[in-house]
Amino acid sequence: MRLALHGIGTALPEAEDAVETSDLNSYFAPRRLRRVDHFTRMTLLAGCRALHDAAGTVQEDLKTPLDLPEDMGVVISTGYGPSQTIFEFLDSIIDHGAGCASPLAFSHSVHNIPAATMSVFLNNPKPYTTLCQLHGPLLAGLQTAGCWLAEGRVKKVLLGLVDEKTPLLEDNTRRLLENKGLAGEQIPVGEGACFFLLGSAEEANATRYGTLEFETFSPQQLPKAQLSDATYAPARSISRLSKLDISATASRQTDMPCAAAPELATAAMKNEQSCCIEQAGNNFGVISVKPQG
Amino acid sequence: MDRPVSICASGCICAAGKDTRACFETMLNGDVQPTFAPGFSYDQPMHSPVFAVEQEWLERQEKNPALTETMQLLFPAVEEALAQSGLTTERLGNLKVGSCIGSSTGASLNFKSFYQQWRKGDEPDLDIIESYLHSNPAAALAERYKLNGPVQTVTNACSSGTDAIGIAASWIRHGLCDLVIAGGADALSGISYTGFSRLMITSPEKCRPFDKDRQGLNLGEGAAVLILASENTMQELKLNSMGQVLGYGTCCDAHHLTAPHPEGTGLKQAINEALVRSGITASEIGFINVHGTGTENNDRIEGQVISKLFPETPFTGTKGVTGHTLGAAGAIEAVMTVMSLQNGLLMPTRGFHEAAAESKAIPVTEQTEINAEYGLSDSLAFGGNNSALVFKKGAV
């Protein structure tokens, strides 16, 4: 499948820090944001930045209009979903008993609530879907976005990849690796959101970033695939790719299920032929970026 | 208009039965009473019976302790569909087969006792975490049957099963795979039971969809799948058709996180989209299998939309025998819509007795013979998500 890439927006941390989302206060009134959790704040911030990037505009204050494409669906893909809100609901059960557990925390812990919050904040009643999987979340999101565009279901898709880190996730990751004797190989757990505003390939000449093309390969097929010299992949995949004789670079040294998304953003922003590889189960998805012209 | 996609088999498990035929028969001729199954807190104000799959039957199934209960429901449903179609693992291995499964609790981090121990500073056993990591529904399905097509777990809350089938049909149309196992699965969970109870939308007795005295929903559990196939695959493998997926529509209300839009705008849009993509009008729909949870809000809004768009069309709801199975609901209802088309029979809406005075939405109350070419199944979800699927009788 081939898609036009109109805009990129990210909410990524410096090194291993948490994502700073205070810029969101210049997009939406703080009063509206008071119950919005961290996962959803990252979602909103990166999504809005992608819309500005596509429109060539900048958010200056609350009065800056956000250029919302006329007919835009939203696909959000995540590894774990809004984890911290789930733990907050569990906290409320443990601390106060099931009969006094927080209904608000429960409703915010449902996987598609970040997407729903975005629909309300953008006032955009269109198709929305949320995918949750540890393997191949970027490829899965691109597939659904591609189908929606090919069917004319929407004219644009805002595809977002989002994951948050929690103390429990960090601790579990450490223990799981220790149990497997791989403690020395741990890559710090990261978090962040990357959004891509996509359109049909026919619009490629009107975009800043050109086109994305994606395909799945088995490990045997991958070395024969047409890979660009500028190949990006998540840090955790580099050694496996190296065993297949493929040289790739990781732009970030942290790990999360959606780790391929910042690599794709880096590849696309190079403005030269490049690609991003995402491991999807036993296979590999290759997303090639071809700049305009 | 979207190209029709063939359905070659189905599998279904819920409180109404352990396979598609048994579920359909129960819905037509039987009834199921929800129970206060062990494992949940029924203290006031949380006092709502649930529609659980028979425990003894579950215990007789092949057990993989490394997988979650949701997967223990999904796999038998898939086995049923594969057996029905005659598709063996060897035959699947020669094809590009996708896995598209909707789930809600099945993809959630619902490990309370682990978390509680961890909060106290302990290092609890990681088995439950390993189990979660290996039980992402679509990925675990692909892993079990060595499927090599696209893999997606759709988590749109209560419309997940409907959305998974709609997305899977697109994969076939766009040549992403030859076959897709598509549907939904969710096991009962104490966490979601607590959450729905605290939202005060559960019923203290058996749910009563569309009834004037409805008090809320009962949670349930189950799994259902349809196997969708490309036309080439249908012919090459000489697969039998049990119906077709036509149009799919989905639209978010953009209104409220837990309440439907008061005018049902997203639901109307989703249904209209599904009809346009099917190339048919509302009057051609022979019947509707509705979402019908039995909550005040859902049934009022859904009833308004249905009676406005389909004033003469019979409709039924099945949650009075399945409970609300969340991510599996849309898939179970899709399978039952296909069965109704195939058999020319519509099931009564168990739990419904009398409509509210102002309501025009009166569901079918008796087993009804129908001669329908097209059936519609719709779902409403948390987050204001609305989705609809149109099915057609017979082969493409």
Side-chain angles (χ1 to χ4, degrees):
Chain A
M1 276 184 159
R2 195 163 156 260
L3 304 171
L5 176 56
H6 291 272
I8 300 172
T10 64
L12 293 164
E14 295 295 324
E16 296 167 34
D17 297 342
V19 172
E20 165 58 45
T21 59
S22 57
D23 278 1
L24 205 52
N25 292 330
S26 57
Y27 288 85
F28 305 106
R31 201 176 66 81
R32 290 188 77 194
L33 291 165
R34 72 190 191 285
R35 285 179 175 168
V36 177
D37 61 272
H38 181 62
F39 184 101
T40 308
R41 287 180 69 97
M42 291 192 291
T43 300
L44 289 171
L45 186 56
C48 290
R49 283 174 172 166
L51 294 174
H52 271 309
D53 187 50
T57 53
V58 175
Q59 188 78 23
E60 288 173 354
D61 56 34
L62 286 173
K63 290 179 183 162
T64 309
L66 193 59
D67 194 350
L68 196 66
E70 182 197 344
D71 190 6
M72 180 187 81
V74 173
V75 177
I76 293 180
S77 195
T78 171
Y80 296 102
S83 317
Q84 192 55 42
T85 58
I86 296 171
F87 299 136
E88 282 165 15
F89 182 56
L90 296 181
D91 283 335
S92 78
I93 297 175
I94 295 164
D95 293 338
H96 308 297
C100 295
S102 163
L104 187 72
F106 172 68
S107 58
H108 282 234
S109 74
V110 178
H111 280 93
N112 67 333
I113 289 299
T117 306
M118 180 173 258
S119 78
V120 174
F121 275 62
L122 298 181
N123 188 25
N124 183 46
K126 294 289 172 184
Y128 279 66
T129 211
T130 299
L131 309 174
C132 178
Q133 54 197 82
L134 298 166
H135 300 297
L138 174 60
L139 201 60
L142 285 167
Q143 279 159 345
T144 293
C147 286
W148 282 9
L149 290 165
E151 290 169 341
R153 197 171 285 281
V154 286
K155 290 179 184 154
K156 297 276 188 301
V157 173
L158 186 60
L159 167 64
L161 284 293
V162 192
D163 267 309
E164 74 177 328
K165 68 174 174 181
T166 65
L168 179 59
L169 176 62
E170 289 180 287
D171 199 36
N172 283 348
T173 306
R174 175 189 60 78
R175 290 178 60 206
L176 286 165
L177 288 171
E178 276 175 9
N179 289 356
K180 289 176 183 162
L182 299 171
E185 294 179 26
Q186 182 174 359
I187 299 165
V189 175
E191 68 170 11
C194 291
F195 274 71
F196 305 91
L197 184 65
L198 304 168
S200 66
E202 291 75 51
E203 300 168 342
N205 288 334
T207 72
R208 287 180 60 187
Y209 301 102
T211 57
L212 300 180
E213 226 168 321
F214 52 97
E215 212 175 330
T216 308
F217 297 94
S218 70
Q220 296 74 34
Q221 294 168 322
L222 188 62
K224 292 173 198 153
Q226 296 285 318
L227 299 177
S228 158
D229 288 343
T231 296
Y232 291 86
R236 70 181 126 110
S237 303
I238 299 294
S239 61
R240 177 143 191 235
L241 289 169
S242 172
K243 285 176 193 157
L244 295 169
D245 247 357
I246 289 164
S247 171
T249 306
S251 68
R252 305 192 75 81
Q253 298 307 315
T254 53
D255 194 30
M256 58 178 173
C258 292
E263 302 305 328
L264 177 61
T266 304
M269 286 192 277
K270 278 189 76 77
N271 201 25
E272 62 183 63
Q273 200 140 322
S274 56
C275 73
C276 163
I277 301 180
E278 180 183 53
Q279 196 174 335
N282 294 322
N283 295 324
F284 292 90
V286 175
I287 303 126
S288 303
V289 185
K290 288 185 184 149
Q292 185 188 345
Chain B
M1 183 178 154
D2 288 342
R3 210 156 26 90
V5 172
S6 289
I7 302 165
C8 67
S10 69
C12 188
I13 285 162
C14 60
K18 317 302 184 305
D19 59 40
T20 302
R21 174 56 62 183
C23 291
F24 188 57
E25 286 296 333
T26 303
M27 289 179 190
L28 287 175
N29 302 309
D31 201 358
V32 182
Q33 297 305 320
T35 61
F36 291 96
F40 301 97
S41 164
Y42 297 109
D43 295 343
Q44 295 289 356
M46 301 194 322
H47 189 75
S48 175
V50 296
F51 285 89
V53 172
E54 188 191 326
Q55 193 59 33
E56 293 75 26
W57 179 85
L58 272 175
E59 280 164 10
R60 287 198 301 274
Q61 302 308 301
E62 175 198 338
K63 273 274 184 323
N64 184 343
L67 296 174
T68 60
E69 289 165 353
T70 293
M71 301 314 299
Q72 314 283 1
L73 292 169
L74 178 60
F75 286 157
V78 174
E79 285 293 325
E80 182 201 343
L82 291 175
Q84 195 184 104
S85 61
L87 287 163
T88 59
T89 313
E90 291 72 38
R91 287 178 106 184
L92 291 177
N94 297 323
L95 299 163
K96 193 152 195 186
V97 184
S99 167
C100 195
I101 302 296
S103 192
S104 182
T105 60
S108 287
L109 308 167
N110 285 335
F111 25 78
K112 187 180 130 232
S113 57
F114 178 94
Y115 178 67
Q116 192 163 9
Q117 288 177 61
W118 178 81
R119 243 181 41 149
K120 282 194 288 190
D122 295 345
E123 289 208 335
D125 196 293
L126 287 165
D127 283 358
I128 192 165
I129 303 298
E130 294 271 16
S131 166
Y132 170 82
L133 295 174
H134 290 100
S135 296
N136 180 272
L141 177 60
E143 174 71 22
R144 179 177 168 114
Y145 294 100
K146 309 287 175 236
L147 309 181
N148 60 1
V151 175
Q152 287 191 18
T153 294
V154 182
T155 50
N156 289 338
C158 311
S159 66
S160 303
T162 303
D163 293 315
I165 294 168
I167 289 170
S170 292
W171 293 354
I172 297 286
R173 288 190 192 105
H174 294 286
L176 297 182
C177 43
D178 304 307
L179 288 169
V180 192
I181 303 173
D186 258 327
L188 279 164
S189 147
I191 305 300
S192 46
Y193 178 84
T194 303
F196 280 96
S197 299
R198 291 294 297 131
L199 286 168
M200 302 174 81
I201 53 173
T202 52
S203 171
E205 55 190 41
K206 179 172 165 136
C207 65
R208 306 178 72 166
F210 293 97
D211 193 272
K212 69 181 176 61
D213 294 325
R214 63 185 180 273
Q215 296 183 69
L217 58 83
N218 303 129
L219 285 174
E221 63 183 347
V225 294
L226 293 172
I227 299 184
L228 310 185
S230 69
E231 274 326 284
N232 279 348
T233 309
M234 289 293 286
Q235 286 167 18
E236 279 170 21
L237 300 184
K238 297 185 172 52
L239 298 170
N240 292 321
S241 172
M242 66 180 291
Q244 307 163 40
V245 181
L246 296 189
Y248 157 64
T250 182
C251 187
C252 187
D253 284 335
H255 167 70
H256 192 274
L257 299 188
T258 54
H261 189 283
E263 306 297 323
T265 53
L267 179 60
K268 283 181 201 160
Q269 180 59 31
I271 291 173
N272 281 331
E273 177 84 4
L275 291 171
V276 167
R277 291 188 164 276
S278 302
I280 62 170
T281 61
S283 62
E284 291 176 86
I285 292 289
F287 68 92
I288 305 164
N289 191 316
V290 296
H291 192 58
T293 56
T295 61
E296 170 56 33
N297 256 352
N298 179 95
D299 290 6
R300 182 166 40 79
I301 303 302
E302 189 179 19
Q304 282 169 15
V305 170
I306 295 289
S307 49
K308 185 163 188 182
L309 295 181
F310 304 94
E312 308 295 332
T313 310
F315 72 91
T316 188
T318 53
K319 289 189 173 67
V321 288
T322 64
H324 190 351
T325 57
L326 306 179
I332 292 172
E333 287 147 22
V335 169
M336 291 305 130
T337 304
V338 174
M339 289 296 284
S340 285
L341 281 168
Q342 208 179 26
N343 292 278
L345 290 170
L346 198 55
M347 57 287 277
T349 307
R350 302 288 177 200
F352 172 84
H353 300 291
E354 190 181 344
E358 73 281 9
S359 174
K360 294 177 186 160
I362 301 174
V364 168
T365 54
E366 292 175 352
Q367 185 186 128
T368 305
E369 284 189 21
I370 46 165
N371 184 16
E373 279 292 302
Y374 305 98
L376 181 121
S377 176
D378 70 275
S379 300
L380 292 79
F382 254 31
N385 221 53
N386 307 275
S387 300
L389 283 164
V390 174
F391 295 94
K392 187 171 190 278
K393 182 162 73 174
V396 171

